[in-house]
Amino acid sequence: MSKRVLTTESGAPVADNQNSASAGVGGPLLLQDQHLLEKLARFNRERIPERVVHARGSGAYGYFEVTDDVTGFTRADFLSEVGKRTETFIRFSTVADNLGGADAVRDPRGFALKFYTEEGNYDLVGNNTPVFFIKDPIKFPDFIHSQKRDPFTGKQEPDNVWDFWAHAPEATHQVTWLMGDRGIPASYRHMNGYGSHTYQWTNAEGEAFFVKYHFKTNQGIRSLSADQAAEIVGQDANSHQTDLLQAIERGVNPSWTLHVQIMPAAEAANYRFNPFDVTKVWPHSDYPLQRVGRLVLDRNPDNVFAEVEQAAFSPNNFVPGITASPDKMLQGRMFAYADAHRYRLGVNHTQLPVNAPKNAPADNYGRDGAYATRYGTRHDKNYEPNSYEGPAQTDAPLGAPAELTGWTGTYTTAQHVKDDHFFQAGELYRLMSSDEQARLIANIAGGLSQVTRDDVVEKNLAHFHAADAEYGKRVEEAVRELRENQ
């Protein structure tokens, strides 16, 4: 077997990779040492901008297998028959911390899934919670600024976190989730995943349905207390990454069962609360879970940077039979995610191996830009329509059309009968056992008691009182006790 030769980026062989060229044995280095300059310049550019949110993440490959017939609800080809398998890539993540942050922290987890289907890539970009903090994307930058490092102190500040929540009563439901027992998963394998948003499915007859996705972990739910998490972070800040990597390497392949809730489109307008509000869940008594298939992870990436850090998921990557709903947060994310990737990775990020469609090659008129690898042949045209048999539109929309009326403007969403910010947070609190409630109260009070402004504390307490009288009273008493002892 011949020995591999070290080369420069241009392919020229490197004579000496241990010593820089100099003017004599002890003299200064020479500008003509292009290998040295190229190597240092290349090293300086190894890092790309990290994600503003979901920076810290782990990923794995696997497959999705259909186990139940859902062709009555969607014409998506990858869901077209029982037993059909589709290759997938998933990226798990924390939301608020930086790339070097710890895994075992109290934070929502990203659950971003890419299906490499025969009709193109389908991206389902969700979280490990079925709800979110806000319901309009115009508030998202402010929300994230309040949760990230303060520009003066350089660290997350309770004053900022709770001040934003004081002005966002719709966050009460998600705050109750986050501060509860599932706020710190024991691992990525031991948490559920949710599409969170409402999506539209359309069947072959053109009938439309609204759906919510639920990936139920087959490993069982396991979570950490604040004390357990602090101990684990001290031992291994990469605990979730370590667990996922080692489990798959041992052949202990984690899996999730996908269920969906299905609402006929005609029922949405008169449902008792807005079904497109991502701060609310649909009760299972109204729309029971229906099993669809199973997700199995069975292969680790070979290179974390190339396949996890450069993985790009966009909620606007749909396939025929699946499309968006009027969910405002989903509508905003459909622009923001793709634009974030264009900034971080370049306009041709979709040509990177982890992002490129595997079973339906891209064929369009996008050209050039940094890192372009797809050009077509010398006779291909870069405009459409054309007379040269270039790719053409199908005239078949991804989903059913939606009827729209009214005047353009900035509106608060029309109110349904039960459209308040607090009732589902109260229902979640009352579902908890007494021990779960006690831990929830302690977690909330631990953060809220550190807030320096009394008016911010009072506004947040009012939200918990509105959710449930006992809930509010217990949080208020716990905060008062902690503040008196500070």
Side-chain angles (χ1 to χ4, degrees):
M1 183 177 177
S2 60
K3 185 177 180 181
R4 295 173 62 185
V5 175
L6 177 66
T7 74
T8 64
E9 293 289 337
S10 63
V14 173
D16 191 339
N17 194 45
Q18 313 305 317
N19 303 288
S20 302
S22 61
V25 175
L29 301 186
L30 300 176
L31 186 62
Q32 72 183 42
D33 188 346
Q34 287 302 297
H35 177 52
L36 168 66
L37 301 186
E38 178 183 83
K39 193 173 182 181
L40 293 180
R42 178 71 175 77
F43 178 75
N44 286 344
R45 292 159 175 81
E46 280 188 358
R47 297 295 175 262
I48 60 176
E50 69 174 41
R51 293 166 169 86
V52 177
V53 289
H54 296 277
R56 170 69 188 153
S58 302
Y61 291 94
Y63 63 87
F64 178 80
E65 180 178 12
V66 179
T67 58
D68 294 78
D69 182 11
V70 291
T71 56
F73 305 106
T74 179
R75 60 186 177 91
D77 182 71
F78 79 101
L79 299 175
S80 62
E81 58 182 298
V82 172
K84 184 162 188 172
R85 287 189 177 187
T86 299
E87 184 182 357
T88 61
F89 181 79
I90 194 168
R91 186 176 186 272
F92 303 105
S93 56
T94 54
V95 174
D97 215 339
N98 300 99
L99 185 58
D103 286 341
V105 294
R106 188 173 299 280
D107 201 13
R109 300 300 191 275
F111 194 97
L113 189 59
K114 187 181 295 291
F115 298 82
Y116 299 103
T117 88
E118 295 167 5
E119 298 179 299
N121 289 353
Y122 171 46
D123 289 355
L124 182 60
V125 188
N127 287 325
N128 72 323
T129 61
V131 293
F132 195 60
F133 297 93
I134 55 175
K135 54 187 175 182
D136 194 303
I138 204 166
K139 301 177 73 169
F140 188 76
D142 299 293
F143 165 60
I144 294 301
H145 286 166
S146 75
Q147 309 298 301
K148 299 282 277 187
R149 297 177 185 272
D150 182 87
F152 172 66
T153 66
K155 60 190 183 73
Q156 189 183 59
E157 291 292 345
D159 275 351
N160 301 348
V161 171
W162 289 95
D163 185 36
F164 181 88
W165 288 341
H167 293 88
E170 69 269 28
T172 308
H173 192 187
Q174 174 74 317
V175 170
T176 304
W177 268 90
L178 179 62
M179 297 299 174
D181 278 0
R182 296 192 184 187
I184 314 178
S187 78
Y188 290 132
R189 296 183 298 128
H190 294 93
M191 67 182 195
N192 290 341
Y194 302 89
S196 301
H197 298 289
T198 301
Y199 296 88
Q200 185 197 82
W201 278 7
T202 306
N203 65 17
E205 288 71 42
E207 295 177 289
F209 304 85
F210 293 118
V211 300
K212 283 186 175 290
Y213 294 89
H214 301 249
F215 288 86
K216 300 289 187 178
T217 175
N218 295 324
Q219 291 69 239
I221 296 289
R222 283 183 52 203
S223 303
L224 302 172
S225 68
D227 290 341
Q228 290 172 323
E231 181 178 354
I232 288 174
V233 168
Q235 296 171 349
D236 180 8
N238 306 301
S239 57
H240 287 26
Q241 164 71 10
T242 301
D243 176 85
L244 182 66
L245 176 73
Q246 293 182 350
I248 294 175
E249 288 296 292
R250 294 196 312 269
V252 181
N253 298 330
S255 65
W256 288 258
T257 299
L258 171 61
H259 300 81
V260 292
Q261 292 177 282
I262 300 176
M263 174 189 291
E267 297 181 12
N270 296 316
Y271 192 53
R272 64 181 180 275
F273 58 83
N274 178 10
F276 311 119
D277 179 352
V278 73
T279 69
K280 294 182 175 64
V281 298
W282 297 355
H284 293 182
S285 56
D286 291 347
Y287 299 101
L289 295 180
Q290 301 188 43
R291 192 177 65 177
V292 179
R294 66 184 184 122
L295 170 69
V296 179
L297 304 183
D298 59 7
R299 179 165 67 90
N300 284 310
D302 293 324
N303 185 287
V304 171
F305 175 79
E307 299 167 88
V308 179
E309 186 62 15
Q310 292 194 128
F313 301 84
S314 298
N316 58 0
N317 286 344
F318 293 116
V319 292
I322 304 177
T323 188
S325 78
D327 181 332
K328 284 187 175 182
M329 278 298 295
L330 173 59
Q331 296 277 326
R333 292 176 78 207
M334 287 167 62
F335 163 76
Y337 272 60
D339 193 55
H341 305 319
R342 286 188 285 267
Y343 160 68
R344 292 183 61 245
L345 302 170
V347 72
N348 290 306
H349 66 274
T350 54
Q351 297 176 30
L352 295 169
V354 70
N355 300 321
K358 298 178 183 293
N359 298 306
D363 192 4
N364 56 50
Y365 298 92
R367 292 291 188 272
D368 305 337
Y371 316 120
T373 61
R374 190 180 71 241
Y375 299 102
T377 71
R378 68 175 65 181
H379 301 297
D380 283 346
K381 303 302 179 184
N382 64 345
Y383 59 88
E384 196 278 336
N386 63 61
S387 304
Y388 296 85
E389 299 183 350
Q393 66 194 42
T394 65
D395 294 321
L398 296 182
E403 182 180 356
L404 302 175
T405 60
W407 299 92
T408 60
T410 54
Y411 296 103
T412 300
T413 302
Q415 293 293 294
H416 293 230
V417 176
K418 288 286 287 182
D419 265 341
D420 73 71
H421 299 309
F422 308 111
F423 78 95
Q424 287 201 347
E427 290 176 341
L428 179 58
Y429 171 79
R430 291 186 290 274
L431 282 173
M432 296 179 180
S433 69
S434 58
D435 288 344
E436 289 175 313
Q437 289 177 347
R439 290 188 290 268
L440 169 68
I441 301 302
N443 291 333
I444 293 173
L448 189 53
S449 64
Q450 298 178 56
V451 174
T452 58
R453 290 184 55 136
D454 291 342
D455 60 328
V456 172
V457 174
E458 292 302 321
K459 286 177 182 176
N460 279 285
L461 290 175
H463 296 168
F464 299 120
H465 279 289
D468 181 274
E470 177 191 286
Y471 186 11
K473 180 181 179 182
R474 293 178 65 182
V475 173
E476 183 173 2
E477 291 173 348
V479 169
R480 182 187 307 114
E481 182 177 349
L482 287 173
R483 297 184 88 192
E484 288 174 351
N485 293 326
Q486 286 176 354

